[in-house]
Amino acid sequence: MSDDIVIAVCLLLVAASATVAVAVREPARQALVLSVLGLCLAALFTVLQAPDVALSQLAVGSVLTPLLILLTVRKVRRRRRPPARDRAEP
């Protein structure tokens, strides 16, 4: 009975964090929400007795994917800025 409650709570957390990930518009915040989603999924996989899948989810879904998104956003924002010598001085 208590396992069912823990599974239900994990499923609600996964659904809520996935909904927030879709609703957020800014890529940097979206990456952070994806990290939280990965943690919720890892917890769900642990509760469902799939520790190997949970470890993979922690590595890829909670760390690697959000990190790559943040690095990409940073690089794109740097390219949008004009070089320092082209900017007008105050």
Side-chain angles (χ1 to χ4, degrees), residues 24-34 66 69-70 73 77:
V24 172
R25 293 300 228 179
E26 187 180 339
R29 287 189 179 162
Q30 196 171 35
L32 294 174
V33 174
L34 283 174
I69 291 171
L70 286 174
V73 167
R77 286 184 180 164

Side-chain angles (χ1 to χ4, degrees), residues 8-55:
V9 168
C10 285
L11 284 172
L12 286 173
L13 287 172
V14 167
S17 57
T19 303
V20 171
V22 171
V24 172
R25 293 300 228 179
E26 187 180 339
R29 287 189 179 162
Q30 196 171 35
L32 294 174
V33 174
L34 283 174
S35 182
V36 171
L37 174 60
L39 289 173
C40 293
L41 282 170
L44 178 64
F45 293 143
T46 302
V47 170
L48 294 175
Q49 298 179 358
D52 52 340
V53 180
L55 285 173

